[in-house]
Amino acid sequence: MAFGSVEAIENLAVPGGAPKTPPPSRFRFNSPLVQVCLIGLVCFCCPGMFNALSGMGGGGQVEHSAANNANTALYTTFAVFGLLGGGFYNVLGPRLTLLAGCSTYILYAGSFLYYNHHSQQAFVIVAGAILGMGAGLLWAGQGAIMTSYPPVTHKGTYISIFWSIFNLGGVIGGLIPFILNYHRTLAASVNDGTYIAFMCFMSAGTVLSLAILPPSRIVREDGSRATAVTYSSVSAEGIEILKLFSNWKMLLIIPAAWRSNFFYSYQFNNVNGILFNLRTKGLNNVFYWGAQMIGSLAIGYLLDFSFRSRRKRGLIGISVLTVLGTAIWAGGLANQLRYSDGKWPNKLDFKDSGSSYAGPFVLYFSYGLLDAMFQSLCYWVIGALADDSETLSRYSGFYKGVQSAGAAVAWQVDEHKTPLVWQLIVNWVLTTVSYPLLALLVMMAVNDDESAARGKGSEGKELQPEPEPES
């Protein structure tokens, strides 16, 4: 029996989920930790680089119109395919779902390389629409993996590990335009090398997605299997997806999902994009996504280890975010009132602007911190609603679908020159409304007895054990 082989590990579990002996290492290829790290690296290379590209404001272009319209097309198709993504995952499995999703990111970055030379929006908009389809598949698969592979008692920790690896992509992606455009202090748009570097990372992520194992191959440290999903049919998935719209748990999470990407157009275009020059925007994104790593680790620890009661941990997490979010958006309003007309006379530079740079920089850093904490909390809540990847892929797809519908509206809100103060107020209100609804969901739907949640799927149904593989 080869040490660490998939077959050897799988034979350690007997029907019913009782382990014969503990698996030898949590670092074996079919462990939840390794697989969550792998999906983190996939997202590091694809959506992580996309975030760095978007974070510069206007996709790195001086004129934001092409990026705004591309993002509207992107999030419109994302809303549809995010919702359907759980069905695709349950029919195709993780590898094909992720491979199809990742490949669309390369096309999107390439469209901005084309735009650098031809300044025609059509290709960028079409590439954005195609990316929305792929992103819906990728994030539904990611959500199912991240919420169903880890053990019940450590889902917050695994979510924070994923979020840190994923956002390291934004950190590295922020360094790319910073380094490649460092001496172009008067330039308005990034150079070709920036987009080519993004495309290389995205290609690597696409290949890496083939390393993701299906849930039936995953064995946790106690010898139990992650799930026992028999891949569904298209008609069955269609029915289950339609049922989500009458599921009270999903209805309660709609405001949080709608809000969770709504603010990007404001923060990227109207804070980072307006206040800072080209090289400083890249540097700011290094710290914005770095703040997300810090935020996800902090909230992950709180949600897993702060109290014995899982429900209490969720409510404490929501309370912390309520206080922190209120303070950050209040600081954002104070900053926004300094340029309510949307005009900032002298672009801030991290080297030359002195103390004038400090306040807006800290605010932008805080926005990144809040984003990761809020989204990690949402994924933790979703992961606490069930334990099987079949159900959680649908829940995650619903979350991403609603999230993307909100983002599609947000990018057009910015494109239509809505006053910036009103954009900020809408974001603040959406954030504030989300907290009591998430608290209600935690109180009503999160099982406080984690041992009772083991081996149970949606609505407390017992998961059937995976049969032992034939020798």
Side-chain angles (χ1 to χ4, degrees):
M1 182 171 72
F3 177 83
S5 69
V6 172
E7 291 80 7
I9 300 303
E10 286 177 345
N11 282 321
L12 293 171
V14 297
K20 295 176 182 176
T21 58
S25 172
R26 69 174 57 188
F27 299 106
R28 59 204 148 70
F29 191 65
N30 70 331
S31 72
L33 178 62
V34 169
Q35 290 295 306
V36 167
C37 288
L38 281 174
I39 190 64
L41 287 172
V42 170
C43 291
F44 168 103
C45 292
C46 294
M49 294 298 150
F50 167 82
N51 283 345
L53 178 63
S54 298
M56 292 183 294
Q61 300 292 318
V62 62
E63 172 55 52
H64 294 176
S65 180
N68 283 353
N69 290 327
N71 277 310
T72 299
L74 189 165
Y75 286 107
T76 299
T77 54
F78 195 166
V80 176
F81 278 79
L83 184 63
L84 300 176
F88 278 98
Y89 176 87
N90 289 335
V91 172
L92 300 177
R95 283 176 177 160
L96 289 178
T97 303
L98 295 172
L99 181 68
C102 289
S103 61
T104 61
Y105 284 84
I106 308 168
L107 178 67
Y108 182 76
S111 72
F112 277 97
L113 179 62
Y114 173 87
Y115 187 82
N116 243 8
H117 295 274
H118 301 284
S119 298
Q120 296 177 359
Q121 289 193 28
F123 181 28
V124 182
I125 294 172
V126 170
I130 294 173
L131 174 57
M133 300 175 190
L137 303 183
L138 170 61
W139 283 103
Q142 173 272 339
I145 291 166
M146 191 174 66
T147 55
S148 68
Y149 284 18
V152 174
T153 54
H154 289 80
K155 287 192 176 185
T157 302
Y158 279 74
I159 289 170
S160 67
I161 291 171
F162 163 81
W163 213 259
S164 297
I165 297 172
F166 158 50
N167 283 306
L168 185 59
V171 172
I172 303 300
L175 284 173
I176 291 171
F178 174 67
I179 294 171
L180 295 181
N181 299 276
Y182 184 85
H183 296 293
R184 303 173 71 236
T185 55
L186 300 179
S189 300
V190 300
N191 58 15
D192 289 356
T194 303
Y195 296 120
I196 292 171
F198 284 141
M199 292 172 71
C200 290
F201 274 101
M202 292 170 177
S203 298
T206 302
V207 174
L208 189 59
S209 67
L210 296 173
I212 301 298
L213 294 177
S216 61
R217 303 277 298 277
I218 305 303
V219 181
R220 296 170 178 148
E221 279 61 53
D222 63 358
S224 63
R225 297 184 180 277
T227 188
V229 173
T230 302
Y231 289 133
S232 183
S233 66
V234 174
S235 59
E237 285 302 318
I239 294 171
E240 292 302 320
I241 289 169
L242 289 175
K243 288 181 180 178
L244 295 175
F245 290 94
S246 60
N247 185 324
W248 64 270
K249 300 174 187 176
M250 295 297 98
L251 296 179
L252 284 177
I253 212 167
I254 283 177
W258 183 275
R259 171 264 174 216
S260 60
N261 270 9
F262 196 86
F263 55 85
Y264 280 143
S265 61
Y266 170 77
Q267 292 177 3
F268 293 163
N269 284 358
N270 303 316
V271 180
N272 203 31
I274 288 179
L275 300 185
F276 307 98
N277 66 10
L278 183 61
R279 68 179 185 180
T280 305
K281 286 189 284 188
L283 180 65
N284 288 347
N285 277 333
V286 172
F287 287 94
Y288 182 92
W289 301 112
Q292 297 229 359
M293 296 170 67
I294 297 171
S296 62
L297 289 171
I299 195 68
Y301 181 86
L302 179 66
L303 292 172
D304 272 353
F305 302 113
S306 57
F307 297 94
R308 288 189 70 177
S309 165
R310 182 162 64 158
R311 190 177 297 135
K312 189 173 185 179
R313 294 196 302 265
L315 293 175
I316 292 296
I318 293 169
S319 300
V320 169
L321 277 178
T322 302
V323 175
L324 186 64
T326 301
I328 290 172
W329 282 110
L333 179 61
N335 181 71
Q336 182 59 72
L337 293 175
R338 299 165 62 194
Y339 63 108
S340 56
D341 58 356
K343 297 178 181 178
W344 189 268
N346 298 311
K347 297 282 188 178
L348 297 171
D349 182 83
F350 77 100
K351 286 183 67 177
D352 302 331
S353 298
S355 59
S356 299
Y357 169 69
F361 166 78
V362 170
L363 173 65
Y364 194 62
F365 179 91
S366 300
Y367 281 146
L369 189 76
L370 180 63
D371 177 23
M373 295 180 76
F374 186 90
Q375 295 215 50
S376 296
L377 173 69
C378 289
Y379 274 113
W380 182 88
V381 172
I382 290 171
L385 300 180
D387 197 40
D388 62 293
S389 82
E390 188 175 26
T391 300
L392 289 172
S393 67
R394 299 184 190 120
Y395 284 0
S396 299
F398 184 88
Y399 174 80
K400 296 301 292 187
V402 175
Q403 179 189 75
S404 302
V409 172
W411 287 103
Q412 280 304 297
V413 166
D414 185 63
E415 178 65 13
H416 285 79
K417 311 301 181 187
T418 303
L420 302 189
V421 171
W422 283 108
Q423 290 191 41
L424 182 145
I425 290 173
V426 168
N427 276 295
W428 192 357
V429 169
L430 286 172
T431 304
T432 304
V433 168
S434 300
Y435 296 132
L437 296 180
L438 285 174
L440 183 62
L441 183 58
V442 168
M443 289 189 290
M444 296 179 64
V446 172
N447 193 327
D448 214 22
D449 182 4
E450 289 173 333
S451 62
R454 298 176 196 273
K456 291 182 181 284
S458 179
E459 309 301 335
K461 296 176 182 176
E462 292 286 347
L463 293 177
Q464 297 301 314
E466 187 81 10
E468 291 227 36
E470 297 179 4
S471 47

